[in-house]
Amino acid sequence: MNIQENISLKKYNTFGIEAKAKRFVTVNTVKELNEIISLEKDVFLLGGGSNMLLTSNIKKLVVHINLKGIIVNDTLKDEVLVTAEAGENWHEFVLWCISQNYGGLENLSLIPGNVGTSPIQNIGAYGVEIKDTFHQLEALEIKTGNIKTFKNEDCDFGYRNSIFKNELKNKYIIINVTFKLTKNKHKTNTSYGAISTLLQHKEAPTIKDISNAVIQIRQSKLPDPKEIGNSGSFFKNPIIDAISFNTLKEKYPKIPYYVVSDTEFKIPAGWLIEQCGFKGKRFGNTGVHSKQALVLVNYGNATGQEIYSLAEKIQKKVKTIFNIDLAIEVNII
Ligand code: EPU
C-alpha cells in the first residue's frame, strides 16, 4: 500500500476546504484495511467527505475507504437484499437500485456521501430515513480486527443519529451495508409536500418518478457541492418541549413545525436562521445559502475556521432571539 505524504484534502471534502493530511492512504480491500489497522489504530477515516468541516490539517494517518462492489441476494419472495461496499457513492448506488427496479431508497436520491457513512447519521430526507430499509451492516472492530454484524436493532437509529456517533464512535469501521428493498409491490412515500405537488398528475408514480422529483426539489434548494462548497444541513432541526413550543407559537403563529410526540416539537432550523436575517447573506468567503438557510457555503477560498465562526454567530443570534440551542450536525475536525 502506498502511504503518501502532505496530501491536499480539498477534493476529498464537499465543503472544498483546503487542509492537508500529513499521511494519506487509500484502501481498496478489507485485507488492506486490516493490514493498516494492525499497524496503526488511531487513524482518521475518510469516506465521501460530505459531512465534515476541516478546521485544521490532519496529523493522524488518513485512511480513505475505497471498498467497491454490490452484491444481490434474491432469495426472498417480495424483497431483495442488496449489499453495497462502504466506498460506493450513495447517489450512484440509489440510481443503480432504481435501474434494477428495487424500491425503498428513491426518496434519498442525490444525498452526497458514500454508502459506508450513511448509517452513522441515519441519513434521511423527504419522509424516509435509511433505518426504514436498513437490514444489517458489517464493521471491522479497530481494536481486534474482527468483523461484526450489526442488525437494525443493534444500531440505535434516531434522528440523524446512531450508536456509531455515540458509544461506538471511532471503535468500528463500516465495510458494507445491506438494505432490504422491494422488488414487486413498492411501498412508496410521497407524503412530503413538494413531492406530492410535483407528482399530482401521475396516478401511480414509479420509484423513478419519485427519484426524479426528489432530484428536482434538491437541485432547486440545495447548492451542488461541485459548484459551491457545502455540507448540506449544517445544523440539526432542534426538538423543543411543549411549553417552549406554545410560547413560540403565540409569538409566531406561522412557525412551521413537526410533531415528534405529545410533548416534543421539531422546528426547522432553516426557518429560525431565516427569521434571524441570515438567509442569503454573505460574509467574506462564507455565507448562508439563499434558498435554504440551513446550508452554510464556501464561496471559494473559505477556511474551516471562517465557516465555524459563521456557525457560532448564527447559534448566538438564534439563542438570543428564540432561546433555542442549535446543534451542529456536521462533524467539526
Ligand atoms: N424553512 C424556512 N427557511 C429556510 C429553510 C426552511 O423557513 O431557509 C422552513 C420552511 O417552512 C420549510 C421547512 O423549513 O417548509 C422545512 O424545510 P425543508 O423541507 O427544506 O426541510 P428542513 O427541515 O430544512 C430537512 C433535512 C434535509 C432534508 C429535508 C427534506 C435536517 C437537518 N435536514 O431539512 O437534509 O433534505 O429535511 O426532507 O433534518 C441534509 O441533512 O443535508 C439535508 C439537506
Side-chain angles (χ1 to χ4, degrees):
M1 265 168 298
N2 177 21
I3 297 188
Q4 297 169 282
E5 291 191 357
N6 275 324
I7 293 295
S8 166
L9 295 173
K10 195 175 168 99
K11 68 171 186 191
Y12 292 102
N13 72 99
T14 60
F15 247 127
I17 302 286
E18 179 57 64
K20 289 244 158 41
K22 202 156 180 274
R23 291 175 307 139
F24 181 100
V25 65
T26 296
V27 293
N28 300 301
T29 63
V30 175
K31 190 168 170 276
E32 287 179 354
L33 182 59
N34 230 325
E35 276 173 35
I36 288 288
I37 293 306
S38 66
L39 296 172
E40 201 155 334
K41 307 242 176 277
D42 193 15
V43 296
F44 180 92
L45 298 169
L46 176 67
S50 62
N51 201 36
M52 65 183 198
L53 178 66
L54 292 166
T55 59
S56 60
N57 292 332
I58 301 189
K59 294 189 190 75
K60 292 180 187 178
L61 172 65
V62 174
V63 180
H64 178 220
I65 309 291
N66 194 40
L67 312 173
K68 300 276 189 190
I70 299 175
I71 296 172
V72 177
N73 173 344
D74 193 0
T75 51
L76 302 174
K77 188 168 166 274
D78 298 316
E79 286 153 324
V80 65
L81 295 173
V82 184
T83 303
E85 296 297 308
E88 288 288 339
N89 172 273
W90 175 262
H91 179 57
E92 283 167 23
F93 172 61
V94 171
L95 290 184
W96 182 85
C97 290
I98 293 166
S99 75
Q100 304 298 304
N101 196 30
Y102 298 154
L105 300 178
E106 52 284 354
N107 293 48
L108 304 176
S109 298
L110 211 61
I111 294 185
N114 287 352
V115 169
T117 38
S118 64
I120 300 177
Q121 56 152 332
N122 180 25
I123 59 171
Y126 310 108
V128 171
E129 292 178 329
I130 71 153
K131 74 164 172 45
D132 305 330
T133 48
F134 176 95
H135 180 63
Q136 66 177 44
L137 64 77
E138 284 189 311
L140 193 106
E141 189 179 15
I142 296 176
K143 202 160 99 186
T144 60
N146 294 338
I147 292 177
K148 185 176 167 184
T149 301
F150 290 83
K151 299 278 181 197
N152 198 319
E153 59 275 19
D154 301 326
C155 296
D156 251 345
F157 287 126
Y159 167 57
R160 294 292 196 273
N161 209 357
S162 78
I163 197 161
F164 301 103
K165 265 189 155 181
N166 300 296
E167 295 99 289
L168 299 188
K169 193 173 177 179
N170 299 329
K171 294 205 162 52
Y172 284 87
I173 303 172
I174 296 171
I175 54 178
N176 63 53
V177 186
T178 302
F179 297 91
K180 194 187 249 186
L181 305 175
T182 51
K183 62 179 176 187
N184 301 319
K185 280 186 220 121
H186 299 306
K187 298 178 203 115
T188 54
N189 181 335
T190 54
S191 58
Y192 183 85
I195 297 186
S196 57
T197 310
L198 272 176
L199 295 176
Q200 61 188 332
H201 301 299
K202 301 247 177 197
E203 211 168 279
T206 62
I207 55 175
K208 181 81 191 149
D209 292 332
I210 296 172
S211 171
N212 286 341
V214 167
I215 290 171
Q216 200 177 324
I217 297 164
R218 287 189 80 95
Q219 285 176 337
S220 71
K221 280 193 185 179
L222 299 167
D224 179 352
K226 288 196 193 88
E227 284 157 25
I228 179 155
N230 76 90
S231 212
S233 300
F234 196 88
F235 302 97
K236 280 193 195 187
N237 286 334
I239 295 171
I240 60 173
D241 62 35
I243 299 170
S244 316
F245 175 70
N246 289 331
T247 315
L248 271 181
K249 184 108 174 74
E250 248 170 55
K251 199 162 173 202
Y252 305 94
K254 288 192 178 149
I255 188 168
Y257 62 92
Y258 321 93
V259 179
V260 179
S261 69
D262 289 351
T263 53
E264 292 173 309
F265 297 81
K266 199 195 270 180
I267 311 294
W271 183 84
L272 297 168
I273 298 167
E274 180 171 353
Q275 297 304 304
C276 291
F278 284 108
K279 192 169 181 172
K281 286 265 167 68
R282 184 171 175 156
F283 302 85
N285 289 318
T286 71
V288 177
H289 189 51
S290 58
K291 295 181 188 137
Q292 165 56 289
L294 196 44
V295 179
L296 305 190
V297 296
N298 170 10
Y299 282 111
N301 297 310
T303 63
Q305 280 298 345
E306 284 173 317
I307 300 210
Y308 190 67
S309 301
L310 173 57
E312 284 184 317
K313 196 193 279 225
I314 292 170
Q315 283 174 315
K316 267 193 197 137
K317 188 110 187 237
V318 169
K319 180 74 179 168
T320 308
I321 298 191
F322 294 102
N323 194 28
I324 289 179
D325 292 304
L326 281 190
I328 292 179
E329 207 257 318
V330 167
N331 293 313
I332 309 295
I333 311 297

